[in-house]
């Protein structure tokens, strides 16, 4: 078997992800090199990679040229994106990159990515398919809104400029701050992230539910790995409707004993090391897909006693 050289884009602080990927290669006796790239030479996860690279920002006109140079130089077999800003460009060039370089880009098709990059578009599609989601309110009908409401950018990530709003004056102030805002009804309750891996045949291969106990910069820092049957049923419905491939993360909020979908990120979630630590290892799915071997379907059902804390390292406390 040839080396499975894997390129992780925008590695940032994803030290645990790099280490989990390396462990998967070692445990499976798979020969491979982990190449990490970032726009900063000081990104912490670069120092856990076998090869450290600096690529231009995604908006740079030289980005694709430099990316293809890296692909050829290191005989890349798999590309894994990690941040929202790189998804559209990679999705648009996915078919060409895969055909020309004999690799797999772990991202959904351009149409699917575009739906979930734009929250206005996303909520329109979810509503059309009767998928339970917080109502998007009329942005021009501010005087009749029932407060509190929730405001966030239509294209945004990591909870940047996402706020609970309590008055018309506060809302007007935020309108000047947020580009292309959307307003939603405000729902409060337990929040859950769902780490998923979807195979090329559109099956759910891996599914892990994480109760978000504490977050930092929009990403989970402390959570409980569990399994909620009602969320699982909702996930199955959503996956049937949209054309997903590879790793993705969904977010739900529990309100009045119902689960509302609030976000879908068609990429690896920042808290995926918790699921990996609890036994739902999406890095294995990536390696299996790259080597064209069969998958074993895995879920976090029965893991209600698994806890994970996500700081510098991941540790799992308690056992089933």
């Amino acid at each position: 078997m040839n080396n499975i050289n894997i390129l992780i884009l925008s590695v940032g602080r994803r030290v645990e992800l790099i280490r989990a990927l390396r462990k998967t290669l070692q445990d499976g006796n798979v020969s491979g090199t982990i190449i990490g790239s970032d726009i900063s030479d000081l990104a912490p996860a670069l120092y856990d990679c076998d090869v450290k690279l600096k690529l231009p920002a995604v908006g740079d006109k030289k980005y694709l040229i430099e990316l293809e140079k890296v692909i050829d130089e290191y005989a890349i077999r798999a590309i894994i994106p990690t941040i929202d800003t790189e998804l559209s460009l990679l999705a648009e060039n996915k078919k060409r990159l895969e055909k020309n370089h004999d690799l797999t880009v772990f991202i959904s098709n351009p149409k699917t990515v575009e739906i979930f990059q734009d929250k206005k578009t996303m909520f329109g599609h979810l509503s059309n398919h009767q998928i339970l989601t917080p109502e998007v309110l009329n942005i021009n009908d501010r005087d009749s809104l029932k407060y509190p409401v929730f405001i966030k950018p239509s294209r945004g990530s990591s909870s940047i400029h996402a706020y609970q709003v309590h008055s018309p004056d506060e809302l007007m102030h935020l309108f000047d701050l947020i580009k292309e805002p959307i307003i939603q009804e405000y729902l409060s309750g337990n929040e859950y992230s769902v780490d998923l891996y979807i195979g090329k045949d559109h099956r759910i291969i891996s599914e892990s539910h994480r109760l978000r106990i504490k977050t930092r910069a929009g990403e989970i820092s402390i959570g409980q790995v569990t399994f909620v049957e009602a969320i699982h049923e909702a996930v199955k419905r959503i996956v049937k409707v949209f054309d997903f491939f590879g790793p993705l993360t969904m977010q739900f909020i529990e309100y009045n004993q119902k689960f509302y979908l609030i976000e879908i990120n068609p990429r690896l979630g920042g808290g995926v090391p918790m699921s990996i630590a609890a036994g739902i290892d999406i890095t294995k799915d990536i390696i299996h897909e790259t080597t064209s071997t069969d998958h074993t379907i895995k879920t976090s059902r029965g893991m209600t006693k698994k806890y994970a804390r996500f700081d510098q390292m991941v540790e799992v406390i308690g056992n089933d």
Side-chain angles (χ1 to χ4, degrees):
M1 181 188 298
N2 294 330
N3 283 359
I4 300 177
N5 295 338
I6 302 169
L7 175 61
I8 315 292
L9 299 174
S10 304
V11 292
R13 299 177 308 194
R14 291 174 178 259
V15 175
E16 294 84 0
L17 174 63
I18 302 301
R19 292 176 180 174
L21 195 53
R22 175 170 286 107
K23 184 176 185 300
T24 294
L25 290 171
Q26 291 171 347
D27 290 350
N29 292 316
V30 177
S31 176
T33 301
I34 299 173
I35 297 100
S37 74
D38 205 276
I39 60 171
S40 171
D41 295 325
L42 301 178
L46 284 176
Y47 296 89
D48 265 72
C49 295
D50 300 314
V51 178
K52 303 186 288 290
L53 299 173
K54 186 175 181 178
L55 280 174
V58 174
D60 192 308
K61 62 182 181 181
K62 294 181 179 178
Y63 178 83
L64 275 175
I65 296 170
E66 295 302 316
L67 176 62
E68 293 196 73
K69 286 180 182 178
V70 169
I71 290 170
D72 290 336
E73 181 177 354
Y74 293 97
I76 300 298
R77 293 283 308 281
I79 297 177
I80 304 172
T82 65
I83 60 173
D84 293 328
T85 52
E86 60 201 10
L87 299 184
S88 293
L89 184 66
L90 284 173
E92 289 165 6
N93 290 277
K94 173 182 169 72
K95 282 187 176 180
R96 183 181 65 81
L97 290 172
E98 292 182 338
K99 179 181 178 181
N100 292 349
H101 301 281
D102 188 26
L103 54 76
T104 302
V105 183
F106 284 85
I107 192 171
S108 299
N109 63 59
K111 181 179 179 181
T112 301
V113 168
E114 179 57 28
I115 288 171
F116 296 103
Q117 288 275 274
D118 186 320
K119 293 176 176 59
K120 287 181 182 176
T121 304
M122 178 183 79
F123 286 109
H125 280 268
L126 296 177
S127 298
N128 289 342
H129 291 284
Q130 290 77 52
I131 295 167
L132 200 60
T133 187
E135 182 182 356
V136 176
L137 305 173
N138 188 340
I139 206 164
N140 298 315
D141 197 15
R142 285 165 271 177
D143 293 336
S144 63
L145 294 178
K146 183 179 179 181
Y147 292 88
V149 295
F150 197 74
I151 188 171
K152 60 184 178 182
S154 182
R155 291 178 175 267
S157 62
S158 301
S159 295
I160 297 171
H161 295 323
Y163 303 102
Q164 181 182 352
V165 183
H166 298 274
S167 69
D169 288 343
E170 188 179 353
L171 187 64
M172 287 299 296
H173 170 72
L174 290 171
F175 260 58
D176 295 331
L177 176 67
I178 300 172
K179 183 180 179 181
E180 297 182 40
I182 62 169
I183 304 172
Q184 294 175 270
E185 61 176 327
Y186 176 75
L187 305 179
S188 63
N190 290 330
E191 292 189 32
Y192 294 82
S193 293
V194 180
D195 293 318
L196 293 161
Y197 184 87
I198 309 298
K200 288 181 179 177
D201 57 1
H202 308 298
R203 287 188 305 157
I204 299 173
I205 304 299
S206 290
E207 179 181 349
S208 175
H209 302 178
R210 297 183 274 110
L211 173 63
R212 292 159 64 95
I213 295 172
K214 186 177 180 181
T215 60
R216 175 186 60 204
E219 291 189 347
I220 192 168
S221 59
I222 299 175
Q224 175 185 350
V225 177
T226 183
F227 192 88
V228 180
E229 196 65 41
I231 291 178
H232 175 59
E233 292 302 318
V235 167
K236 288 195 297 182
R237 285 189 58 222
I238 294 163
V239 169
K240 285 181 179 179
V241 169
F242 299 103
D243 186 12
F244 294 117
F245 166 68
L248 62 139
T249 305
M250 298 184 186
Q251 292 181 13
F252 291 84
I253 190 164
E254 183 179 8
Y255 180 73
N256 283 346
Q257 299 182 316
K258 294 181 180 179
F259 293 90
Y260 292 74
L261 178 68
I262 56 176
E263 192 83 57
I264 294 182
N265 294 311
R267 58 168 173 78
L268 280 168
V272 74
M274 289 187 179
S275 296
I276 293 171
I280 311 301
D281 193 343
I282 287 173
T283 66
K284 292 181 180 178
D285 300 318
I286 290 169
I287 299 302
H288 288 166
E289 197 78 69
T290 306
T291 57
S292 300
T293 58
D294 291 334
H295 291 283
T296 300
I297 296 174
K298 306 176 294 296
T299 74
S300 57
R301 182 183 276 110
M303 290 189 179
T304 55
K305 294 182 182 178
K306 294 277 186 177
Y307 294 84
R309 182 181 178 90
F310 185 41
D311 293 323
Q312 297 301 316
M313 295 285 289
V314 172
E315 56 182 332
V316 179
I317 307 166
N319 294 289
D320 282 337

